[in-house]
Amino acid sequence: MSEPANFPPATIEAFLRFCEGEWMSLRSRFLLGAQAEAGEGDEWHSSERGELVVRYLDGEPGGLSVGPKDQTPRQLLFAADGSFSAGDQQGSWTLWPDGSLELVSEQNGTELRERIWFNKPNLRLRSTIEQPADGLPGRASFSSEIRRVSKPAAAA
């Protein structure tokens, strides 16, 4: 199957619309630096599977309703000026020429950077890095998400 002509999405609105769907997710989390050294054994990393539901929210340029299946979703609202809000969290977004979306926010002196990109139309990848104000490594995660697609109807 060939990729759609508009892949990867080239505008923030197209990117947000492309995110809509139900996703099967595998997330690996890592503790870095002193946090990892303080743990014993394999406590420095963990993996979890999940179901993620993403809905596009109309607006200029739009937003996303994101959350695990069967839970209250979180809303991210994007503004054309490069800012976004998610509840009391504020940040900035950049859609890079390679088709990836980077979200940067700060909370309690910790910077959070999340990068989201599509490897294929139905394969989305995300990386997240937390950087505490003290400059020491914090936490990181990597997620691979596969869009659930319905099977074509059987021919009669």
Side-chain angles (χ1 to χ4, degrees):
M1 178 180 153
S2 64
E3 294 177 352
N6 57 353
F7 182 81
T11 66
I12 186 63
E13 181 181 358
F15 190 96
L16 298 174
R17 287 183 184 276
F18 209 79
C19 288
E20 186 165 33
E22 292 187 20
W23 301 85
M24 296 178 293
S25 176
L26 177 61
R27 175 183 283 179
S28 297
R29 296 177 189 228
F30 307 93
L31 295 176
L32 307 173
Q35 291 180 351
E37 294 168 8
E40 295 181 25
D42 288 339
E43 295 173 1
W44 64 275
H45 71 89
S46 65
S47 292
E48 60 191 40
R49 293 179 188 201
E51 300 277 330
L52 190 63
V53 178
V54 180
R55 299 287 173 242
Y56 175 76
L57 302 172
D58 286 325
E60 286 295 325
L64 296 174
S65 170
V66 180
K69 206 171 194 176
D70 303 324
Q71 291 186 18
T72 303
R74 180 176 177 210
Q75 291 192 349
L76 286 91
L77 304 175
F78 291 78
D81 68 359
S83 66
F84 76 91
S85 63
D88 63 347
Q89 184 181 7
Q90 307 289 315
S92 63
W93 62 266
T94 303
L95 186 61
W96 293 102
D98 65 2
S100 65
L101 176 64
E102 184 176 45
L103 307 175
V104 180
S105 61
E106 189 174 317
Q107 194 167 27
N108 300 325
T110 298
E111 182 183 78
L112 181 65
R113 287 186 175 269
E114 182 170 13
R115 196 167 199 122
I116 306 165
W117 67 100
F118 290 89
N119 195 18
K120 296 188 180 258
N122 294 319
L123 176 60
R124 188 171 88 157
L125 305 172
R126 291 189 300 143
S127 64
T128 305
I129 298 174
E130 271 186 30
Q131 183 72 44
D134 61 13
L136 295 174
R139 295 184 291 181
S141 69
F142 178 80
S143 300
S144 57
E145 299 164 347
I146 299 172
R147 187 188 319 261
R148 286 194 179 275
V149 293
S150 54
K151 294 181 181 178

